[in-house]
Amino acid sequence: QVQLVESGGGLVQAGGSLRLSCAASGRTFSNYAMGWFRQAPGKEREFVATISWSGDIAYYTDSVKGRFTISRDNTKNTLYLQMNSLKPVDSAIYYCAAKSRGLSAQTTTYNYWGQGTQVTVSS
């Protein structure tokens, strides 16, 4: 089992920045690829970014490329999402997730999920 707890969400104006954190406990954090997903009201959960177990490979959905950066610190068992130039359309609950083996943008391939943290971007 892997337990994931997100933090760092909040209310920010358009153009601002937030850094989300996801603290992992349980099994060895570095054994897992990690991902960030988000879900806005009335919409399905969607992929944001994913990172390999070592942190040297990352992929992003097109809408956040150049604005968001996913990273991890395996010595601290923590995943991060730096979000810059935020837009109102980025408003959602953000979830971190862990999966064994390789990176993936598919929600169904992730084994463990956090409870989410709310991000609200005002115009």
Side-chain angles (χ1 to χ4, degrees):
Q1 290 283 345
V2 175
Q3 291 78 43
L4 302 172
V5 179
E6 302 94 336
S7 62
L11 174 64
V12 63
Q13 290 188 331
S17 298
L18 283 174
R19 188 175 82 155
L20 305 184
S21 298
C22 172
S25 60
R27 293 190 176 179
T28 305
F29 179 65
S30 59
N31 286 349
Y32 295 88
M34 300 294 295
W36 285 102
F37 294 79
R38 65 187 180 186
Q39 188 167 18
K43 296 188 177 182
E44 293 189 352
R45 192 169 299 188
E46 66 173 2
F47 167 73
V48 175
T50 183
I51 190 167
S52 63
W53 67 270
S54 62
D56 59 349
I57 302 172
Y59 297 115
Y60 301 87
T61 192
D62 286 347
S63 63
V64 308
K65 285 180 181 176
R67 301 189 297 122
F68 291 12
T69 303
I70 188 172
S71 62
R72 65 190 297 163
D73 186 338
N74 288 343
T75 66
K76 296 182 178 179
N77 293 343
T78 304
L79 175 73
Y80 303 100
L81 185 67
Q82 178 66 45
M83 305 186 294
N84 299 328
S85 302
L86 282 161
K87 305 174 182 180
V89 295
D90 295 317
S91 298
I93 298 174
Y94 282 71
Y95 300 89
C96 66
K99 68 179 300 292
S100 56
R101 300 179 183 172
L103 291 76
S104 174
Q106 304 301 316
T107 58
T108 55
T109 63
Y110 284 79
N111 307 104
Y112 305 103
W113 292 84
Q115 83 291 345
T117 185
Q118 177 72 50
V119 172
T120 303
V121 184
S122 64
S123 58

